Amino acid sequence: MEDLKHTQAELDEIEDSLKDKYLTFDIEEESFAIPIKFVNQIIGIQKISNMPDTPDYVKGVVNLRGNVIPVIDARLRFGMSKTDYNDRTCIIILIIENELYGLVVDKVSEVVYIKDENVTPPLNKKITKGNNYIAGIGKVGDQVKIIISPSEILSEEVFNMLKEY
């Protein structure tokens, strides 16, 4: 049986190969990006079981091959209007602090390279109502991508609550 453990050098090489790679996705007319190193997989929309007493952006949980995964609706988390899911809607399964979370998005676009020199800091927090989940603005050709910090998508209170499920 093959040993699945990696040496530190192998882990560093894997980390280097993911540097500057982002998965892009759309919500309404906006384009977002998330570092690919946080992405576990992308699945189609499926039945989401509601969870009581959670913020509106926490849609519930899904059962993915025996794993119960909390699901967050990115539209609601980002303060956008609610809409019905369609055949392009999907769930990005993220790994945040060794836990799996689902992020519902309108559609996944592509994987892009965004070098550090093409990333500018987010807008002043005073005018963006404290949206700590925005890590920066990435320039890709003549387009911009709003770069999301996966570890900040959930408030600390909600993150700790969901870890208990």
Side-chain angles (χ1 to χ4, degrees), residues 82-113:
K82 182 179 178 178
T83 190
D84 292 332
Y85 297 152
N86 61 41
D87 61 336
R88 298 290 311 239
T89 306
C90 56
I91 303 173
I92 302 170
I93 304 298
L94 302 172
I95 302 173
I96 304 172
E97 295 186 22
N98 295 320
E99 301 287 336
L100 294 174
Y101 297 91
L103 184 66
V104 177
V105 300
D106 289 356
K107 69 177 184 177
V108 169
S109 299
E110 62 185 334
V111 174
V112 297
Y113 287 94

Side-chain angles (χ1 to χ4, degrees), residues 34 38 96-97 133 148-156 159:
I34 198 159
F38 292 99
I96 304 172
E97 295 186 22
Y133 49 81
I148 302 302
S149 172
S151 59
E152 299 296 330
I153 289 175
L154 297 170
S155 66
E156 186 173 341
F159 180 77

Side-chain angles (χ1 to χ4, degrees), residues 115-134:
K115 298 270 186 208
D116 287 342
E117 60 265 18
N118 291 327
V119 176
T120 59
L123 297 174
N124 184 327
K125 299 288 186 200
K126 291 178 184 171
I127 63 172
T128 59
K129 298 195 302 192
N131 297 333
N132 296 329
Y133 49 81
I134 299 175

Side-chain angles (χ1 to χ4, degrees), residues 36-78:
I36 198 83
K37 68 182 181 180
F38 292 99
V39 177
N40 178 273
Q41 62 183 302
I42 301 164
I43 61 174
I45 198 68
Q46 55 186 270
K47 169 122 175 65
I48 301 172
S49 300
N50 292 328
M51 288 178 15
D53 298 324
T54 58
D56 64 341
Y57 65 86
V58 178
K59 297 308 294 178
V61 295
V62 295
N63 182 345
L64 184 62
R65 293 185 290 283
N67 293 308
V68 175
I69 301 173
V71 176
I72 298 124
D73 188 308
R75 278 180 159 272
L76 300 178
R77 179 63 175 120
F78 299 163

